[in-house]
Amino acid sequence: MQGPRKWDWTAILLMSPSVAIFLGLLVMPILVVLVLSFGERAEAGGYQAAFTFAQYANLPARWAAFRNTLTLAPLGTVLCLLAAYPLAYYLAVKVSSRNRLLLLILVIVPFWTSFLIRTYAWIFILGGKGLPALLDMIGVPDVRFINTPFAVLVGIVYGYLPLMVFPIFVSLERLDKRLLEASDDLGASPARTFWQITLPLSAPGAVTGCMLVFILLMGEYLIPALLGGGKVFFIGNALVDLFLQSRNWPFGSAVAVSLVVIMLVTVTLYLRVTLRNRGMRDQALV
Amino acid sequence: MRIYAVFVYLFLYAPLAVIALFSFSAGRSASDFHGFSLQWYATAAGNRLVIEALLNSLLVAFVSSAIATLFGTAAALMLPRVKPAFRMVFDALTYVAIMVPGIVIGISTLIALATTFNFLNPLIAGDAPGAPPLGFGFGSLICAHSLFAMALVIVIVKARLSGMDRSLVEASMDLYADPWGTFRQVTLPQLMPAVIAGFLLSFTFSLDDYVIASFVAGSRVTLPIYVFASIRRGVTPEINAIGTTVMVFSLAMLVVAQVLLRRQARKPAAA
């Protein structure tokens, strides 16, 4: 914060509130969580100073939450990708530029309305008097959607589809259309043009979209809480239980630290594997 | 492909339409439609708990977005002037604040504040007997929301600053305007759309947040906390009415923010 010759007091004065907020509300709390995760649980449910790996050794006690998160988060990401790609392709390639902006905004708008209400809507639709009642009328009785992994996946695709469409759309729109014409002129079939030109060139957008959705899904709480009904729960749900109900803070801290570590490791590995090509890395991280 | 697109748009909007439709149902049950009526809006508006939760939410959203906008804008403005090493750390913290799952932010704020309170409260009781002990409530809610919102504002304002025309600032300096005059008359007007957009996005985030609030709210009830608890007890038409109102409100905020950001995107060409 020091200028070449003297202290830059304006900068110090104006930066200090934000620095204080980051230190007091981000750095310090994360350090406290780290410290707690190596501590012990006191009799009353609080924290007892210690240095032990017992909390981490106890992680398998919450194995189901880890298993659900680590299967449903990647699966949900892939489903989002499969649902989003055709739409992004349609918007970027097939739609006239006059309608494009409006249609794109229409995809993004739901993402900015209340997440809680949007997820709640599916309780309504998938619940007993929604779709199952309709199916019953056309002669398919006793179908259950709510509180199943299927309901959670529907909620995931619904909640995060816009976030996936947007980066794919951007990379498809930037794609040089002359490449497609060249491929066509050289006698390639449309399918081959798609596989060899469109798909590889739009991969950076898909990678970015998958990363965004995956990161958010790893910490997801609301969708499993509302649509999984206590049967399909994520690490986030285990954390709420550990902190607010069973009040086992040291163990909860260990779970939280593990969640962040798993997130960082998978995202790093994922970027390593998908972005071996340097040009692509530059584009994807824009 | 067009059919698929239509299907996706239906998928995106049908649930919202269902909620809105049933909020106007006259029936007592949430899932049978019995003719048009505004009674559930009246019920919600007459429910003291709903109104209190709404006011709490608005207060927290307003104060936290004001803090976030003020300090975030100040930081974004000063960042180019600080040492590169410091700037790198600061940028990294900004992205950490955005990337770390809300649930982890909620937990860490809960633990850190609880530890701080445990430490401070005996001191306060010793120094000023009779003073209320520190606890969770508006303060902790505002703190936790300010953190994420401030990171959001910093990113938005920084993006706007980097797209701004430096030559205007230089011209103003050449014409002997003092730094404050330059800031007020040149930088601030150009920056304003980003600042307002940052404020509105922070406001919508705070108004919609359940996860972080559930950890740090103490006994305070915000609107998402109220809605979540009611959903847990069962789906009612009243929730549909509240949900529709919230949806319309956040859409209005979004439209305003978008219009402002769009205007700012067009401006450099005009300047």
Side-chain angles (χ1 to χ4, degrees):
Chain A
M1 294 236 274
Q2 202 171 9
R5 272 166 300 154
K6 57 181 194 304
W7 289 88
D8 183 348
W9 287 110
T10 324
I12 294 174
L13 189 72
L14 289 179
M15 295 285 302
S16 47
S18 49
V19 171
I21 288 179
F22 276 153
L23 287 181
L25 293 169
L26 184 66
V27 178
M28 195 269 274
I30 288 178
L31 290 179
V32 172
V33 170
L34 266 175
V35 169
L36 242 72
S37 73
F38 291 105
E40 275 170 358
R41 188 187 187 193
E43 288 302 312
Y47 159 75
Q48 175 122 37
F51 185 77
T52 160
F53 289 94
Q55 308 303 338
Y56 288 95
N58 196 22
L59 283 180
R62 293 282 170 162
W63 167 240
F66 280 93
R67 188 196 55 214
N68 287 338
T69 310
L70 291 174
T71 51
L72 291 178
L75 187 59
T77 310
V78 171
L79 288 177
C80 262
L81 178 64
L82 292 179
Y85 198 95
L87 183 70
Y89 184 83
Y90 175 76
L91 290 177
V93 180
K94 302 278 180 193
V95 172
S96 72
S97 54
R98 207 160 46 89
N99 296 331
R100 191 176 293 154
L101 185 66
L102 177 69
L103 286 173
L104 190 66
I105 291 176
L106 280 177
V107 176
I108 295 168
V109 159
F111 189 71
W112 281 105
T113 62
S114 168
F115 199 87
L116 184 59
I117 301 295
R118 282 191 301 140
T119 309
Y120 155 75
W122 284 98
I123 300 187
F124 210 75
I125 296 173
L126 297 177
K129 292 190 173 166
L131 270 186
L134 282 180
L135 286 175
D136 193 46
M137 275 199 291
I138 60 167
V140 191
D142 293 333
V143 192
R144 247 180 83 81
F145 290 120
I146 199 83
N147 302 349
T148 63
F150 172 77
V152 173
L153 285 172
V154 169
I156 287 174
V157 173
Y158 185 69
Y160 293 109
L161 188 68
L163 205 58
M164 186 68 92
V165 170
F166 195 66
I168 300 177
F169 168 83
V170 170
S171 65
L172 277 171
E173 205 197 19
R174 270 196 297 200
L175 187 149
D176 190 343
K177 304 290 185 300
R178 284 173 304 182
L179 290 174
L180 305 180
E181 285 163 25
S183 169
D184 189 43
D185 290 347
L186 292 170
S189 66
R192 188 157 173 216
T193 305
F194 179 78
W195 278 109
Q196 297 204 321
I197 299 182
T198 313
L199 200 58
L201 285 175
S202 62
V207 168
T208 309
C210 286
M211 208 174 66
L212 289 174
V213 171
F214 182 74
I215 286 176
L216 286 172
L217 281 181
M218 288 291 289
E220 187 55 55
Y221 166 76
L222 274 181
I223 295 175
L226 293 178
L227 300 174
K231 294 200 178 64
V232 186
F233 46 89
F234 277 28
I235 299 176
N237 307 75
L239 284 172
V240 169
D241 175 53
L242 283 170
F243 277 91
L244 299 180
Q245 268 99 53
S246 28
R247 294 185 67 78
N248 189 344
W249 289 13
F251 183 45
S253 302
V255 174
V257 172
S258 315
L259 168 64
V260 173
V261 169
I262 292 175
M263 226 174 84
L264 289 177
V265 171
T266 31
V267 168
T268 316
L269 280 179
Y270 171 73
L271 287 178
R272 275 270 170 84
V273 173
T274 47
L275 304 178
R276 266 168 301 189
N277 171 326
R278 210 172 114 242
M280 198 162 135
R281 187 178 312 160
D282 293 343
Q283 283 180 48
L285 294 180
V286 164
Chain B
M1 188 146 271
R2 167 175 293 224
I3 295 167
Y4 178 75
V6 170
F7 174 76
V8 173
Y9 283 102
L10 271 178
F11 173 68
L12 283 176
Y13 283 91
L16 305 183
V18 168
I19 294 275
L21 178 70
F22 276 89
S23 74
F24 294 113
S25 164
R28 188 186 286 270
S29 139
S31 33
D32 300 310
F33 196 84
H34 290 288
F36 179 86
S37 135
L38 288 174
Q39 70 173 98
W40 295 110
Y41 287 88
T43 313
N47 185 337
R48 209 173 40 79
L49 293 174
V50 173
I51 298 303
E52 193 189 315
L54 175 68
L55 290 178
N56 287 347
S57 271
L58 287 175
L59 178 75
V60 170
F62 183 78
V63 177
S64 65
S65 337
I67 292 177
T69 310
L70 192 65
F71 296 160
T73 308
L77 277 168
M78 287 302 122
L79 269 179
R81 285 167 59 164
V82 300
K83 277 189 180 172
F86 177 79
R87 188 160 62 226
M88 255 178 59
V89 175
F90 193 88
D91 284 345
L93 285 176
T94 310
Y95 286 108
V96 168
I98 291 180
M99 297 287 263
V100 169
I103 200 143
V104 175
I105 294 281
I107 287 167
S108 53
T109 317
L110 168 74
I111 301 180
L113 288 178
T115 315
T116 317
F117 294 160
N118 283 342
F119 174 73
L120 285 180
N121 278 338
L123 296 180
I124 293 174
D127 276 353
L134 298 171
F136 288 92
F138 284 127
S140 50
L141 275 168
I142 289 168
C143 282
H145 281 179
S146 300
L147 172 70
F148 178 83
M150 190 179 78
L152 202 66
V153 171
I154 292 175
V155 171
I156 294 173
V157 175
K158 246 175 57 181
R160 174 65 182 143
L161 272 174
S162 69
M164 238 160 70
D165 194 354
R166 273 291 299 171
S167 57
L168 286 175
V169 172
E170 280 158 21
S172 163
M173 295 294 211
D174 288 346
L175 295 168
Y176 301 106
D178 57 53
W180 170 242
T182 305
F183 173 73
R184 211 166 46 88
Q185 299 195 322
V186 180
T187 312
L188 196 59
Q190 287 192 71
L191 210 56
M192 222 41 205
V195 173
I196 296 176
F199 180 87
L200 292 179
L201 291 181
S202 305
F203 199 90
T204 350
F205 151 75
S206 174
L207 215 53
D208 185 35
D209 169 69
Y210 169 75
V211 173
I212 298 178
S214 67
F215 283 100
V216 298
S219 59
R220 288 271 171 231
V221 175
T222 63
L223 197 59
I225 292 179
Y226 178 84
V227 170
F228 187 87
S230 316
I231 294 173
R232 275 286 167 94
R233 283 197 297 271
V235 176
T236 68
E238 190 186 1
I239 297 294
N240 292 337
I242 300 175
T244 309
T245 315
V246 170
M247 258 171 357
V248 170
F249 187 76
S250 51
L251 276 185
M253 299 276 282
L254 176 75
V255 170
V256 175
Q258 276 301 317
V259 167
L260 288 168
L261 280 173
R262 204 155 297 284
R263 190 188 297 166
Q264 101 176 41
R266 258 203 320 259
K267 255 191 179 165

